Amino acid sequence: QLALQGLDLEGVRRILADEAVASRLHQAAGGNPAALFAILDRLPPPREAEIASRVDELSEVGRRVLGALALADRPLPVHVVAQALDLDAQAVTRAVPALTGAGLVRRALDPGVGDVVVGLARHEDGELVCQRLGEGELAAVHGALAEALESWGRATPEEVLTHRLAGGVYARAAE
């Protein structure tokens, strides 16, 4: 998966300077400056606002699952997410369709894991999702993820350690 960045100001200027783009804007606005600005006002909201809106529409379980996936920073089997959140796997499974429908999560069969995994649809949304969680919740989920990943047995020691440290579980991190 290739992460693409938005255009910088110079990139926007180059696109707007293109004759075909200027012609399309002129035609759409009929040459009317007020109509041109109205077109700009109808543009979709920034990604941050879009994510916030989608997250706010989720159930409590959906928000928790999304937060755990954002902190995990990689796709995980449902049972690992469920263990980290102290939920049954069925509750997590029932939350996944709303998350995929909102374009926030994707499901895939991971041959390396030998199971269906769920993960963020767009890696860069993870930071935006984490901003919607409180500091205490972030630490608690990191700590629980460390335990769930270790129990699963397929996470690297570095991954488990990273979550332990982020969760403030220093005694276990030293083991």
Side-chain angles (χ1 to χ4, degrees):
Q1 191 173 22
L2 178 63
L4 300 176
Q5 299 295 320
L7 296 172
D8 61 10
L9 185 57
E10 185 55 36
V12 172
R13 282 187 183 116
R14 278 184 281 180
I15 287 176
L16 291 174
D18 182 272
E19 185 64 32
V21 172
S23 178
R24 283 182 64 191
L25 287 171
H26 180 262
Q27 183 179 12
N32 181 337
L36 183 58
F37 284 107
I39 290 169
L40 294 174
D41 288 341
R42 288 193 307 262
L43 294 176
R47 186 74 181 161
E48 294 83 4
E50 182 183 339
I51 294 300
S53 172
R54 290 180 187 185
V55 170
D56 290 346
E57 293 174 6
L58 296 173
S59 68
E60 178 63 25
V61 171
R63 277 192 291 279
R64 292 181 63 204
V65 169
L66 186 63
L69 292 173
L71 290 176
D73 199 29
R74 70 168 177 117
L76 292 172
V78 167
H79 69 88
V80 175
V81 176
Q83 181 182 347
L85 297 175
D86 197 24
L87 296 169
D88 67 60
Q90 288 300 326
V92 173
T93 299
R94 284 190 300 271
V96 170
L99 293 166
T100 56
L104 297 168
V105 167
R106 61 178 168 72
R107 288 181 45 181
L109 177 60
D110 185 338
V113 172
D115 203 349
V116 172
V117 294
V118 290
L120 294 180
R122 291 178 48 159
H123 177 79
E124 61 272 16
D125 289 346
E127 186 176 328
L128 299 173
V129 170
C130 290
Q131 290 172 1
R132 312 238 354 121
L133 304 175
E135 286 297 318
E137 187 177 1
L138 287 170
V141 174
H142 269 300
L145 268 171
E147 297 306 315
L149 288 167
E150 183 175 53
S151 173
W152 178 39
R154 292 184 176 243
T156 65
E158 294 82 8
E159 186 177 13
V160 173
L161 178 62
T162 297
H163 287 292
R164 281 200 177 122
L165 292 173
V169 187
Y170 303 115
R172 292 287 323 267
E175 292 178 1

